[in-house]
């Protein structure tokens, strides 16, 4: 199953928690210094859901597609 | 639900030490629960303060056993303890300076402590101390 990954970059505090937990889906945007999904959709996985759950700002949303 | 639960594979064969290692698992779970609740930053200083106290008391118990019974790898083990204590102090400094990536960094440090230090370094002294009548 795939998910669309949405990040509210206004709320993202650049902590990199999502990048550490799920580097196959998230990366840091060097210009914005915010997290961003590597692609619009990603395979739903335990690490992806954990990254969403552990985000301190709760600014990542998954939409099943 | 707890991230980690105590398993026999973590045991070094000495009850007092195992009981202290269970405290480390409790700290990992405490931080994990706080991060899931979006309160990782608030939980950091309490966890790190516990960890700093834990280093003093737990490492002290282990090192006293090493010295008393002449554990041959005492010097190397004490060096690892010193490095871990230095790292904990550095993490406390980073929290105090407001570094925002710290929750997951501390979590990974604690999990690495469990996986590497307890499962590899600490496991070495279990049979030696058991042979000296410590269990």
């Amino acid at each position: 199953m795939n998910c669309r990954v949405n990040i509210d970059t206004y709320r993202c505090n650049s902590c990199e928690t999502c990048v550490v937990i799920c580097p196959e889906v998230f990366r840091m945007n060097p210009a914005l210094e915010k997290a961003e999904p590597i692609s619009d959709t990603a395979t739903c996985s335990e690490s992806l859901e954990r990254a969403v759950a552990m985000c301190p700002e709760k600014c990542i949303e998954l939409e099943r597609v | 639900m707890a991230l980690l639960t105590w398993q026999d594979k973590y045991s070094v064969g000495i009850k007092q030490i195992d009981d202290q290692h269970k405290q480390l698992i409790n700290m990992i779970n405490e931080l994990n629960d706080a991060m899931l609740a979006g309160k990782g930053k608030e939980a950091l200083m309490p966890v790190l303060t516990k960890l700093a106290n834990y280093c003093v008391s737990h490492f002290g118990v282990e090192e006293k056993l090493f010295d008393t019974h002449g554990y041959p790898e005492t010097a190397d083990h004490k060096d690892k303890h010193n490095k871990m204590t230095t790292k904990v102090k550095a993490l406390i400094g980073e929290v105090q300076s407001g570094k925002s990536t710290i929750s997951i960094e501390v979590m990974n440090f604690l999990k690495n402590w469990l996986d590497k230090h307890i499962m590899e370094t600490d496991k070495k002294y279990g049979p030696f101390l058991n042979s000296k009548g410590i269990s």
Side-chain angles (χ1 to χ4, degrees), chain A residues 19-42:
Chain A
V19 179
V20 172
I21 294 175
C22 192
E24 63 271 27
V25 173
F26 298 98
R27 67 185 173 195
M28 291 303 290
N29 180 312
L32 299 175
E33 295 184 340
K34 301 279 187 177
E36 66 180 8
I38 293 171
S39 61
D40 288 342
T41 60

Side-chain angles (χ1 to χ4, degrees), chain A residues 6-64:
Chain A
N6 299 310
I7 300 179
D8 182 340
T9 52
Y10 182 76
R11 285 158 56 199
C12 173
N13 70 3
S14 312
C15 73
E16 301 184 32
T17 297
C18 57
V19 179
V20 172
I21 294 175
C22 192
E24 63 271 27
V25 173
F26 298 98
R27 67 185 173 195
M28 291 303 290
N29 180 312
L32 299 175
E33 295 184 340
K34 301 279 187 177
E36 66 180 8
I38 293 171
S39 61
D40 288 342
T41 60
T43 303
C44 296
S45 66
E46 193 176 325
S47 65
L48 175 56
E49 291 185 353
R50 182 166 171 77
V52 174
M54 297 291 259
C55 171
E57 303 300 334
K58 306 297 181 200
C59 66
I60 307 172
E61 289 185 352
L62 299 182
E63 182 185 345
R64 312 279 178 190

Side-chain angles (χ1 to χ4, degrees), chain B residues 33-50:
Chain B
D33 290 348
M35 289 179 75
L36 286 174
K39 298 185 183 304
K41 286 174 95 171
E42 292 91 327
L44 271 175
M45 273 314 285
V47 168
L48 284 171
T49 301
K50 282 184 198 174

